[in-house]
């Protein structure tokens, strides 16, 4: 394929390893598999944090003195999990950690990370999150196509907070606003997310191929008559109540007599670990609470049943991983689990009584063997195909950039389109005006003084010092 027709994908995301969160792991796999065939140029753009923020975010006291050191860590992690040499680039944008939001927020204009001459397709992992406080180049003007991938059900989380309904109402509007003005197309990983303009529901995620290998091993053991699973029931997830621990413990408490003899192992670390442990102690059932571990740990290979009662996930990665390993999965009838209904080992419950019956049945049955097609549907190869199709991207011919035409020469339908464009331009102008004021940014939760990178971030990333950085002046499209 000639250089002229090669597409360039720039994948911007809101987190990076060693933070083991979905927006650190899944975009990394996406970058590796998009670049696998060698017919696309791919750049993964991840946040760089100063040392103080790294110490707050990254586990096990892992910190990096330079971007080269951080990049080496990321590359080593992905290379251990795939069977090919990834050929994508990695770039860093300046970020700050918000202790209030427990999230990394971009600093300055992160579109600068990609040179204009190669700006083609931008993939915004969590487009609402990346754009709440965006003040800089308009994504649609710089890139030929901008695809947003919605990972998180933010509305479900904020509704659990004080004044949650009021905050959720405002956040719903803000998410709609920024995704409409900055993205051409939105991919919602499941129907559990907020409905957004120009959106389509498609699970564009796969599983680490190591889990599929475990599933093949378990299938061989079952077919040869060996005992494939020596342990019973478990759940793994960040140990906060909103991740389904409250629902699970309530179910176990209510039906202790019917589930007599059941033993459940919970694995996770988080702010509610102590409270979960105390609640588990009050049950007559045996519920063991363990610190969090990597789901790929051989320890988990031996469990037969994975229970996931969470309804705050968008598409639960650990559910997909459990299915890939050949386990029986018990989960709620919820939009976040819609993709998993095609797999015979996914047992969906509609009410509490069904949960109890499915759990008892799973303990006495063996999992159904996955077919090759079912295994493929869980893979990153299939997820990458789904992503390309859902994003409506021509893999070979770049889209033409918009050309301005005089209003008088336009037919009626084009004048209507131009009017909509002008309204969108005005909306962008308003967002840029608000996001350019420190007082407005602070009022809506931005980290203070993040319009431009500070001296330390500039030093770490080799950027010009703050005093020398040209102040961006936004000009609306005419």
């Amino acid at each position: 394929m000639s250089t002229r027709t090669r597409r360039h994908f720039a994948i911007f995301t809101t987190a990076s390893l060693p933070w083991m969160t979905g927006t650190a792991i899944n975009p990394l796999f996406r970058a590796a598999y998009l670049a696998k065939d060698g017919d696309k140029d791919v750049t993964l753009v991840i946040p760089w944090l100063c040392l103080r923020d790294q110490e707050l975010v990254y586990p096990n006291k892992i910190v990096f003195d330079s971007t080269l050191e951080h990049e080496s860590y990321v590359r080593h992690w992905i290379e251990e999990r795939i069977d090919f040499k990834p050929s994508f680039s990695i770039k860093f944008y300046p970020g700050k950690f918000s202790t209030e939001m427990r999230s990394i927020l971009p600093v300055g204009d992160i579109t600068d990370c990609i040179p204009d001459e190669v700006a083609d397709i931008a993939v915004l992992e969590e487009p609402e999150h990346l754009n709440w406080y965006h003040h800089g180049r308009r994504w649609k003007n710089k890139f030929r196509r901008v695809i947003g991938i919605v990972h998180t059900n933010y509305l479900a989380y904020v509704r659990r907070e004080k004044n949650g309904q009021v905050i959720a109402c405002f956040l719903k509007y803000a998410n709609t606003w920024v995704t409409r003005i900055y993205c051409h197309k939105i991919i919602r990983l499941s129907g559990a997310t907020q409905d957004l303009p120009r959106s389509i529901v498609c699970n564009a995620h796969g599983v680490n191929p190591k889990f599929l290998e475990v599933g093949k091993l378990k299938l061989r053991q079952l077919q040869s008559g060996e005992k494939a699973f020596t342990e019973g029931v478990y759940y793994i997830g960040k140990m906060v109540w909103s991740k389904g621990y409250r629902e699970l413990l309530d179910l176990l408490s209510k039906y202790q007599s019917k589930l007599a003899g059941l033993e459940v192992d919970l694995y996770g670390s988080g702010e509610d670990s102590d409270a979960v442990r105390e609640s588990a102690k009050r049950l007559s059932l045996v519920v063991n609470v363990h610190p969090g571990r990597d789901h790929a740990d051989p320890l988990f290979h031996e469990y037969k049943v994975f229970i996931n009662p969470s309804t705050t996930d968008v598409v639960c990665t650990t559910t997909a991983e459990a299915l890939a390993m050949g386990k029986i999965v018990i989960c709620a009838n919820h939009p976040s689990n819609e993709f998993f209904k095609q797999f015979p080992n996914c047992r969906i419950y509609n009410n509490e009584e069904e949960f109890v019956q499915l759990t008892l049945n799973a303990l006495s049955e063996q999992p159904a063997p996955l077919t090759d097609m079912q295994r493929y549907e869980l893979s990153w190869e299939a997820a990458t195909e789904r992503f390309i199709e859902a994003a409506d991207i021509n893999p070979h011919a770049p889209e033409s950039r918009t050309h301005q035409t005089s209003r008088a020469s336009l037919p009626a339908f084009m004048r209507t389109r131009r009017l909509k464009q002008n309204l969108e331009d005005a909306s962008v102008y308003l967002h840029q005006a608000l996001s350019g004021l420190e007082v407005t940014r602070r009022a809506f939760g931005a980290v203070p003084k993040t319009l431009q990178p500070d001296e330390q971030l500039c030093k770490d990333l080799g950027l010009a010092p703050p005093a020398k950085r040209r102040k961006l002046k936004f000009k609306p499209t005419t």
Side-chain angles (χ1 to χ4, degrees):
M1 182 178 295
S2 68
T3 304
R4 184 177 59 85
T5 59
R6 287 175 70 89
R7 305 305 307 260
H8 181 273
F9 290 76
I11 302 172
F12 293 78
T13 189
T14 56
S16 175
L17 298 174
W19 196 7
M20 296 294 289
T21 187
T23 51
I25 296 168
N26 290 311
L28 177 56
F29 275 108
R30 193 182 326 283
Y33 279 85
L34 274 172
K36 182 179 180 181
D37 293 338
D39 60 349
K40 307 173 191 70
D41 295 320
V42 181
T43 301
L44 179 65
V45 190
I46 57 180
W48 168 262
L49 299 176
C50 65
L51 186 60
R52 183 181 66 254
D53 280 352
Q54 289 183 45
E55 290 171 344
L56 291 173
V57 177
Y58 298 148
N60 305 320
K61 299 182 178 179
I62 300 173
V63 294
F64 308 102
D65 292 325
S66 68
T67 55
L68 286 175
E69 192 178 330
H70 193 170
E71 178 177 346
S72 176
Y73 180 96
V74 171
R75 289 194 181 281
H76 179 72
W77 189 93
I78 190 68
E79 287 171 7
E80 282 192 326
R81 287 159 176 80
I82 56 179
D83 59 1
F84 59 93
K85 186 76 171 176
S87 57
F88 61 92
S89 305
I90 294 179
K91 289 193 174 184
F92 292 85
Y93 68 80
K96 287 281 186 183
F97 181 65
S98 168
T99 52
E100 205 171 286
M101 294 185 181
R102 300 297 300 169
S103 298
I104 297 170
L105 297 172
V107 176
D109 182 6
I110 66 173
T111 70
D112 285 344
C113 294
I114 302 297
D116 287 1
E117 58 269 21
V118 296
D120 183 13
I121 300 167
V123 181
L124 309 186
E125 311 268 356
E126 295 203 310
E128 65 278 71
H129 182 148
L130 286 169
N131 285 302
W132 286 326
Y133 311 109
H134 178 64
H135 184 74
R137 188 84 170 271
R138 184 178 175 183
W139 293 94
K140 288 181 183 178
N141 286 357
K142 174 153 184 170
F143 293 88
R144 296 177 185 274
R145 190 148 180 84
V146 184
I147 309 299
I149 302 182
V150 177
H151 290 244
T152 306
N153 188 354
Y154 288 108
L155 302 185
Y157 285 112
V158 299
R159 285 190 184 110
R160 294 171 179 251
E161 299 175 3
K162 185 180 179 182
N163 302 317
Q165 290 298 332
V166 176
I167 298 170
C169 184
F170 171 77
L171 185 60
K172 183 178 181 180
Y173 173 79
N175 290 345
T176 300
W177 186 21
V178 297
T179 53
R180 181 191 295 277
I181 63 178
Y182 291 126
C183 297
H184 292 106
K185 188 76 175 279
I186 296 291
I187 297 173
R188 299 161 56 207
L189 295 176
S190 80
T193 56
Q194 176 186 340
D195 192 11
L196 293 167
R198 309 183 189 110
S199 68
I200 184 173
V201 174
C202 174
N203 177 19
H205 284 177
V207 301
N208 177 341
K210 298 292 184 185
F211 293 105
L212 293 167
E213 291 303 317
V214 173
K216 290 177 183 177
L217 172 63
K218 293 299 175 183
L219 177 59
R220 288 195 295 270
Q221 290 176 336
L222 287 170
Q223 289 174 336
S224 64
E226 296 178 51
K227 189 173 183 179
F229 303 100
T230 59
E231 301 292 336
V233 177
Y234 78 110
Y235 176 52
I236 180 171
K238 185 178 180 182
M239 204 161 280
V240 293
W241 287 120
S242 61
K243 280 292 187 181
Y245 287 95
R246 189 179 302 282
E247 290 85 347
L248 178 56
L249 291 176
D250 285 350
L251 284 167
L252 296 178
S253 175
K254 188 173 180 178
Y255 295 95
Q256 292 181 79
S257 58
K258 290 186 177 181
L259 295 171
L262 178 69
E263 184 171 338
V264 181
D265 290 328
L266 306 179
Y267 293 87
S269 301
E271 299 93 295
D272 297 324
S273 295
D274 292 339
V276 170
R277 189 172 288 104
E278 286 303 311
S279 293
K281 285 179 181 177
R282 293 195 287 269
L283 300 176
S284 61
L285 297 175
V286 178
V287 180
N288 305 303
V289 181
H290 307 279
R293 307 176 73 129
D294 189 331
H295 202 193
D297 191 303
L299 166 77
F300 296 109
H301 299 179
E302 301 307 314
Y303 287 94
K304 183 172 72 168
V305 182
F306 177 80
I307 293 181
N308 180 11
S310 175
T311 54
T312 58
D313 287 303
V314 171
V315 175
C316 184
T317 302
T318 50
T319 294
E321 292 167 349
L323 287 170
M325 287 190 281
K327 304 180 189 302
I328 295 172
V329 171
I330 299 172
C331 54
N333 190 0
H334 185 262
S336 61
N337 296 318
E338 192 67 30
F339 177 80
F340 302 124
K341 290 181 179 179
Q342 64 184 293
F343 301 99
N345 288 329
C346 181
R347 315 289 173 83
I348 300 286
Y349 63 88
N350 295 285
N351 51 54
E352 294 176 347
E353 288 74 18
E354 284 187 9
F355 167 82
V356 174
Q357 192 57 53
L358 288 174
T359 301
L360 293 173
N361 291 347
L363 290 171
S364 62
E365 298 171 359
Q366 290 299 331
L370 284 178
T371 65
D372 289 342
M373 182 53 69
Q374 289 164 351
R375 196 174 291 112
Y376 179 74
E377 283 297 303
L378 290 167
S379 73
W380 266 105
E381 284 88 355
T384 304
E385 288 182 5
R386 292 194 296 267
F387 163 72
I388 294 291
E389 183 177 354
D392 197 19
I393 293 170
N394 185 328
H396 306 305
E399 296 82 358
S400 299
R401 296 193 186 278
T402 302
H403 296 289
Q404 301 302 323
T405 311
S406 67
R407 187 184 299 269
S409 65
L410 292 173
F413 80 93
M414 287 294 286
R415 287 198 293 272
T416 302
R417 185 181 297 175
R418 173 62 63 83
L419 176 60
K420 289 181 180 178
Q421 183 64 56
N422 288 342
L423 289 172
E424 185 173 292
D425 292 341
S427 193
V428 174
Y429 185 83
L430 176 60
H431 183 261
Q432 291 282 317
L434 293 173
S435 65
L437 298 172
E438 182 68 16
V439 64
T440 314
R441 295 170 67 86
R442 293 286 300 275
F444 292 114
V447 177
K449 298 179 180 178
T450 51
L451 260 173
Q452 295 293 340
D454 60 25
E455 190 172 342
Q456 186 59 53
L457 283 171
C458 288
K459 182 180 177 182
D460 291 348
L461 294 170
L463 303 173
K468 294 183 180 180
R469 293 178 65 83
R470 178 175 60 85
K471 187 175 180 180
L472 182 145
K473 295 181 179 179
F474 173 74
K475 295 182 180 179
T477 304
T478 57

